Amino acid sequence: MGIDLLTKHHVRKGNRTAPKSEDPYLLLLVKLYRFLARRTDSKFNKVVLRRLYMSRINRPPLSLSRVARQVNKADSSYSATHTVVAIATITDDIRLTTVPKLSIAALRFTRTARARIEAAGGECLTLDQLALRKPTGRDTLLLRGAKNARESVKHFGMGPHKNKKPYTLSKGEEKGRGRRKSRGFKV
């Protein structure tokens, strides 16, 4: 008679080992960073490779204002030779009046964000250009966007007192669940 093991056998890892996307440019970047992660001792390349595998929800966009704020926060350690790296889309933020001179490497840039960075004397790099310049990720600042800033996240959460946003057709006061006695629950 066999023994009953407490742990289940053959538990599959939930981590991706390749991107789901069939974008040929993304697949070429994966091939490049897979090589760099294997052949260099740099943890940076392993992190970039893992982020390249991620779904779009896990690669939220990054605004220019957030980039500028993080660079200002790291001002003592951040120099002109540093490059900001984001495995995401860099978007423009009209609330930011002056864009600092930055060197940014990202998956993609919006048209206005690219124009503002280049007008400020900065540069927009692709990730393969970054691999040629800084193959180990030295002198880089790796950033990512706010994952829970999506509109749909505001609706998550069950029950009263969760401060979740109701799904309503009209703006303003909710007249459905949680308001009238006949509609599920009364707060």
Side-chain angles (χ1 to χ4, degrees), residues 50-65:
R50 195 173 70 239
R51 290 190 191 176
L52 285 171
Y53 293 160
M54 287 180 177
S55 62
R56 277 184 64 185
I57 282 178
N58 290 321
R59 287 188 283 107
L62 190 64
S63 69
L64 270 178
S65 58

Side-chain angles (χ1 to χ4, degrees), residues 64 99-102 109 111-125:
L64 270 178
V99 179
K101 184 182 176 184
L102 294 168
F109 297 85
R111 200 179 313 118
T112 50
R114 186 185 294 274
R116 287 188 74 187
I117 292 164
E118 288 169 353
E123 57 180 348
C124 301
L125 302 171

Side-chain angles (χ1 to χ4, degrees), residues 117-135:
I117 292 164
E118 288 169 353
E123 57 180 348
C124 301
L125 302 171
T126 57
L127 292 175
D128 53 315
Q129 287 172 321
L130 176 77
L132 288 170
R133 283 195 196 181
K134 299 181 176 182

